[in-house]
């Protein structure tokens, strides 16, 4: 069974600084997708970034980028120039290529300090 | 920008009662999902639905749960006889064909007393 682990229950970062959130996963599949979702206090889950496992290039989306290490089964999220609005729960999620459901990690609560 | 909507935002019910949680997926989406998140825990998959039938379900989705797309816009989750442990945030999600990410609604907080 696939599992997703986020080893940092809580993280904090100073405004304008950079922070990296860790995610590792366990799978025997070779083709899959990885995602980072953000859940602010309003509780709506918002997609931050997506990575296809067959792509070697790391995905970027404005201030958000990932470090995808397929062999190590690692998928970390880097947030640059952190803003107060980045404060949220961040979930790493995995989906196999032809699957339907996401498998979520337990989440990392990110605080942004002014 | 189109959004997934869910009603109600908060539902309180007594143990043993039936509840129906409602979702309106994004209009051109074809795949629909329900997830739940018990307070302080991770988001868990319940069920996926495509072409008017369940395509995948988890162990959590037992006979007490059912889903329906009663018309062209709504997607519902019914819990027949609620238990205390059903108290959770329930998220609906949808996606279109050929797209991998799912778009989530704001959730319905279900409290079973």
């Amino acid at each position: 069974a696939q599992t997703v682990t986020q080893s940092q229950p809580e993280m904090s970062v100073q405004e304008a600084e950079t922070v990296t959130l860790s995610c590792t996963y366990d799978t025997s599949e070779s083709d899959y997708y990885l995602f980072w979702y953000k859940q602010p206090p309003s509780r709506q889950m918002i997609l931050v970034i997506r990575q296809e496992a067959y792509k070697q290039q790391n995905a970027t989306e404005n201030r958000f980028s990932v470090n995808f290490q397929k062999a190590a089964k690692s998928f970390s999220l880097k947030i640059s120039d952190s803003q107060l609005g980045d404060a949220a729960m961040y979930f790493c999620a995995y989906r196999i290529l032809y699957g339907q459901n996401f498998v979520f990690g337990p989440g990392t609560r990110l605080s942004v300090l002014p | 920008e189109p959004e997934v909507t869910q009603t109600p935002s908060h539902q309180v019910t007594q143990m043993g009662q039936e509840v129906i949680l409602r979702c309106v997926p994004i209009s051109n989406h074809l795949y629909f999902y329900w997830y739940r998140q018990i307070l302080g825990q991770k988001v868990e998959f319940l069920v996926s639905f495509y072409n008017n039938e369940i395509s995948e379900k988890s162990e959590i989705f037992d006979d007490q749960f059912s889903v329906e797309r009663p018309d062209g816009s709504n997607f519902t989750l019914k819990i027949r006889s609620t238990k205390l442990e059903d108290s959770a945030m329930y998220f609906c999600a949808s996606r279109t064909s050929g797209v991998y990410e799912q778009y989530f609604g704001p959730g319905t907080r279900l409290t079973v007393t």
Side-chain angles (χ1 to χ4, degrees):
Chain A
Q2 296 90 9
T3 58
V4 178
T5 302
Q6 293 177 249
S7 59
Q8 306 150 317
E10 295 185 3
M11 292 278 286
S12 62
V13 62
Q14 290 289 139
E15 200 175 0
E17 297 293 308
T18 295
V19 65
T20 299
L21 309 184
S22 301
C23 172
T24 58
Y25 55 94
D26 185 26
T27 183
S28 57
E29 303 288 334
S30 58
D31 288 324
Y32 48 87
Y33 303 98
L34 295 162
F35 306 83
W36 279 97
Y37 277 87
K38 168 185 175 181
Q39 187 183 39
S42 66
R43 305 212 40 117
Q44 180 142 18
M45 302 264 284
I46 303 164
L47 177 69
V48 175
I49 201 164
R50 175 189 91 193
Q51 174 81 43
E52 291 90 341
Y54 63 84
K55 288 187 178 177
Q56 292 187 337
Q57 187 172 6
N58 289 322
T60 64
E61 195 72 42
N62 300 316
R63 298 182 295 107
F64 299 88
S65 62
V66 298
N67 183 4
F68 174 48
Q69 302 288 327
K70 191 173 184 180
K73 296 179 183 174
S74 169
F75 182 60
S76 60
L77 174 70
K78 185 170 85 170
I79 306 173
S80 304
D81 186 25
S82 297
Q83 300 174 1
L84 295 176
D86 294 333
M89 197 75 169
Y90 285 82
F91 292 98
C92 179
Y94 161 99
R95 202 206 92 176
I96 63 172
L97 183 63
Y98 296 111
Q100 289 291 337
N101 63 297
F102 282 10
V103 177
F104 283 89
T108 295
R109 183 174 301 283
L110 177 67
S111 301
V112 181
L113 309 172
Chain B
E1 188 174 332
E3 291 181 336
V4 176
T5 59
Q6 290 184 243
T7 54
S9 57
H10 190 193
Q11 173 94 45
V12 181
T13 189
Q14 289 191 327
M15 197 168 51
Q17 295 295 304
E18 174 185 286
V19 294
I20 298 176
L21 309 183
R22 291 184 167 78
C23 168
V24 179
I26 295 173
S27 62
N28 64 337
H29 286 191
L30 301 175
Y31 299 84
F32 313 112
Y33 308 85
W34 283 102
Y35 293 82
R36 79 169 186 193
Q37 184 182 31
I38 295 172
L39 187 63
Q41 297 186 23
K42 65 180 177 181
V43 179
E44 300 172 292
F45 168 73
L46 292 178
V47 65
S48 59
F49 191 86
Y50 170 71
N51 201 26
N52 283 319
E53 61 182 26
I54 291 173
S55 46
E56 202 169 331
K57 61 182 181 179
S58 71
E59 292 176 352
I60 303 167
F61 194 87
D62 61 22
D63 292 343
Q64 292 299 311
F65 292 88
S66 62
V67 289
E68 193 178 29
R69 188 154 163 84
D71 52 41
S73 59
N74 289 283
F75 178 52
T76 62
L77 174 69
K78 183 195 290 187
I79 309 174
R80 287 192 184 82
S81 178
T82 50
K83 306 180 198 128
L84 293 176
E85 54 264 37
D86 293 327
S87 294
M89 196 76 166
Y90 287 81
F91 292 102
C92 174
S94 69
R95 70 174 178 92
T96 188
S97 178
V99 169
Y100 313 114
E101 57 263 30
Q102 297 173 15
Y103 293 84
F104 285 79
T108 292
R109 180 178 298 283
L110 176 65
T111 302
V112 182
T113 61

